[in-house]
Amino acid sequence: METKTIFMAFFIMTTLVSYAYPSSGQEDVDVEPLVNPGREFDTLDVISPASQDYNIYMLEILPPKYKMYVETCMDKMEPIGKCGLYVIKEILTNEPVSRECCLKVVRAGKECFIETNKLMFQFYQLKRFASQVSFKINEVWNRCSAEVESPSSSADFAI
């Protein structure tokens, strides 16, 4: 089960990073991108042996109860598909995810959404953004939950 988690985490991490186009990590303070386009950006999806070792170690030292909790959250979010990638992109670039993605995010639940994203930003490739995006994780949740709950969009989400 631990091996499944590690492989799933690496797959998710590699995919998330490949879709992230960071631009602004500070709310109304700075318009400079977190990562400059070009060579610096291209290195976000590079997984070196050292970064891979870091990610494995980071996953191994997580408390067992937390691992189980995050695995349960990932199972809840599994149908989220590419929306999870777009959420990371929104966190880093302020490019809003679709209403459909918001619905999937809200269905997973706030705690799962927040904890899963906190974990993603512990991976070596994204950890340098962790302190800059913590408020964005809540911001994305708040925007999505408001969008899903708004009467004008309720017809779009009929099940």
Side-chain angles (χ1 to χ4, degrees), residues 58-70 122:
M58 185 270 298
L59 289 170
E60 287 175 350
I61 64 169
L62 291 174
K65 283 185 179 181
Y66 182 75
K67 278 189 214 180
M68 187 175 290
Y69 176 73
V70 172
Q122 288 181 37

Side-chain angles (χ1 to χ4, degrees), residues 30-42:
D30 196 351
V31 292
E32 292 294 316
L34 288 174
V35 175
N36 292 317
R39 189 169 189 220
E40 183 183 9
F41 174 76
D42 292 341

Side-chain angles (χ1 to χ4, degrees), residues 6 9 11-12 15 22 31 34 49 55 60 66 78 80 86 92 97 100-101 103-104 106 119 125 128 136:
I6 291 171
F11 174 76
I12 291 170
T15 309
V31 292
L34 288 174
N55 292 340
E60 287 175 350
Y66 182 75
E78 194 171 352
I80 203 167
Y86 300 137
L92 293 172
V97 297
E100 182 182 341
C101 286
L103 178 61
K104 291 178 181 183
V106 171
L119 178 64
Q125 293 79 0
R128 63 183 159 153
K136 288 294 295 174

Side-chain angles (χ1 to χ4, degrees), residues 20-37 41 87-95 121 129 131-137 139-140:
Y21 301 109
S23 68
S24 179
Q26 297 180 2
E27 187 177 37
D28 298 324
V29 174
D30 196 351
V31 292
E32 292 294 316
L34 288 174
V35 175
N36 292 317
F41 174 76
V87 167
I88 293 293
K89 186 176 179 182
E90 178 173 347
I91 290 168
L92 293 172
T93 67
N94 299 328
E95 186 177 311
F121 282 96
F129 305 115
S131 65
Q132 299 165 312
V133 299
S134 58
F135 71 92
K136 288 294 295 174
I137 293 170
E139 212 174 74
V140 171

